[in-house]
Amino acid sequence: GAGVSQSPSNKVTEKGKDVELRCDPISGHTALYWYRQRLGQGLEFLIYFQGNSAPDKSGLPSDRFSAERTGESVSTLTIQRTQQEDSAVYLCASSLAGGSVSYEQYFGPGTRLTVT
Amino acid sequence: GQNIDQPTEMTATEGAIVQINCTYQTSGFNGLFWYQQHAGEAPTFLSYNVLDGLEEKGRFSSFLSRSKGYSYLLLKELQMKDSASYLCAVPPSRDDKIIFGKGTRLHILP
């Protein structure tokens, strides 16, 4: 079946513009995660959705960042007034949830954001 | 606080064995994941340990000691394609975000 998809794959934007990144999780996956990865660095947690609620927004770097999720499907990550420091790959992952164990995450290919 | 430690980089020779260690201090524990990430690609799942001991899956094995807050990933018969970053990750609970280590970049020499 289809994996996690993200769009756009690449985005170049001017400093100060707003951008919207999209994630389509695997059907039936109730948990959805956004991460940021700067070049050569580890994964930086941004936000986690369980269904369409976000129990943990602690990773959002500033109030310029926001995210929404519609039901248990598409999520969008919006960055307002982009800064050069926002340049990174933004990764989305989804997983099953529930039960007594944790489930592996399936990652999308990422969106490479470049702010000029 | 919550913390996961891994070596930043390791180098090994093709055909050899390498062990990548991970130590964790988290508020809870609901298993430990290992992911592989090739340069420019997304991470992919390798293993999940929730009980103590060694789990073998082909050339890759993963070990867990919950009392010591310690895990390792063992890669045997190394191949050039194993050059990648290896990420250790711990979910403190089943309903919580997963905490990732910074990853270990493994270089394989011919």
Side-chain angles (χ1 to χ4, degrees), chain B:
Chain B
Q2 317 221 70
N3 195 44
I4 297 181
D5 284 316
Q6 308 178 233
T8 304
E9 290 194 73
M10 298 183 70
T11 301
T13 304
E14 190 176 16
I17 299 173
V18 71
Q19 178 175 312
I20 303 174
N21 296 325
C22 170
T23 58
Y24 61 90
Q25 301 95 37
T26 54
S27 58
F29 183 79
N30 200 39
L32 186 144
F33 290 94
W34 283 96
Y35 287 84
Q36 180 190 57
Q37 186 178 26
H38 285 103
E41 298 182 11
T44 55
F45 169 78
L46 286 178
S47 67
Y48 174 61
N49 292 63
V50 66
L51 299 176
D52 289 349
L54 184 70
E55 297 218 0
E56 299 187 63
K57 196 187 290 187
R59 294 190 297 114
F60 291 11
S61 303
S62 54
F63 171 84
L64 175 67
S65 169
R66 289 171 294 173
S67 62
K68 295 181 180 176
Y70 168 69
S71 173
Y72 67 73
L73 183 68
L74 191 71
L75 291 74
K76 303 177 189 174
E77 301 167 19
L78 286 170
Q79 301 176 10
M80 298 302 293
K81 68 179 181 180
D82 298 330
S83 292
S85 287
Y86 292 86
L87 308 172
C88 173
V90 174
S93 74
R94 66 180 174 89
D95 296 321
D96 208 343
K97 72 187 184 201
I98 295 179
I99 300 168
F100 278 85
K102 295 190 186 303
T104 299
R105 201 168 305 146
L106 177 64
H107 304 278
I108 309 296
L109 302 177

Side-chain angles (χ1 to χ4, degrees), chain A residues 84-97:
Chain A
Q84 287 183 329
E85 71 218 35
D86 300 334
S87 296
V89 174
Y90 289 81
L91 288 163
C92 174
S94 71
S95 74
L96 293 169

Side-chain angles (χ1 to χ4, degrees), chain A residues 20-63:
Chain A
E20 191 172 277
L21 312 181
R22 177 186 169 109
C23 172
D24 280 271
I26 292 173
S27 177
H29 281 193
T30 55
L32 186 147
Y33 306 79
W34 283 99
Y35 297 93
R36 179 169 70 179
Q37 189 170 36
R38 293 195 169 102
L39 188 63
Q41 303 297 309
L43 295 179
E44 180 185 0
F45 168 80
L46 296 179
I47 188 168
Y48 157 57
F49 287 93
Q50 185 63 264
N52 63 0
S53 68
D56 194 334
K57 303 179 183 180
S58 63
L60 294 177
S62 74
D63 59 8

